[in-house]
């Protein structure tokens, strides 16, 4: 037997050069810039001004989802966040309209 020490765990592998990014099939990843705003507006629509903030979240969310679907060169990582904000905005707006109807009907 020889007295050769065992190779290190990364034997034969070189570290990636500076600035290296893994290949992602030619598609870049990004977050949609309005994702957080849409989610915040959707959540706020449950508590105050549901008709206004809910409608804004719904419209902005639908527009952002269309932009995401149209951009085939980029993979957006916050599609679920945008969809959740859009749905929360829709529900908040509907609940506000129902609340106004109940208030007006009980007068």
């Amino acid at each position: 037997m020889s007295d050769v020490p065992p190779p290190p765990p990364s034997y034969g592998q070189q570290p990636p050069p500076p600035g290296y990014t893994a290949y992602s099939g030619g598609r870049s990843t990004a977050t949609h810039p309005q994702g957080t705003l849409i989610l915040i507006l959707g959540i706020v629509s449950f508590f105050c001004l549901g008709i206004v903030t809910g409608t804004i979240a719904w419209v902005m969310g639908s527009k952002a989802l269309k932009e995401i679907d149209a951009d085939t060169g980029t993979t957006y990582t916050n599609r679920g966040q945008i969809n959740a904000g859009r749905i929360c905005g829709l529900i908040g707006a509907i609940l506000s309209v129902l609340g106004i109807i109940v208030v007006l009907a009980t007068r």
Side-chain angles (χ1 to χ4, degrees):
M1 291 218 148
S2 65
D3 294 318
V4 177
S10 63
Y11 180 75
Q13 296 179 354
Q14 297 291 327
Y20 172 80
T21 56
Y23 179 70
S24 63
R27 298 175 64 153
S28 62
T29 59
T31 58
H32 195 278
Q34 295 177 335
T36 305
L37 176 63
I38 293 167
L39 183 61
I40 290 171
L41 287 171
I43 293 171
V44 167
S45 70
F46 285 119
F47 303 105
C48 62
L49 299 174
I51 295 174
V52 176
T53 57
T55 304
I56 292 171
W58 185 28
V59 170
M60 286 179 65
S62 297
K63 181 182 172 205
L65 288 176
K66 287 178 186 175
E67 290 172 3
I68 288 172
D69 292 338
D71 189 2
T72 59
T74 305
T75 301
Y76 287 94
T77 57
N78 62 342
R79 182 184 179 91
Q81 180 184 28
I82 293 170
N83 203 21
R86 184 176 66 101
I87 292 169
C88 286
L90 178 63
I91 293 170
I94 290 171
L95 290 176
S96 293
V97 168
L98 291 176
I100 291 172
I101 291 171
V102 167
V103 168
L104 294 177
T106 57
R107 286 187 172 194

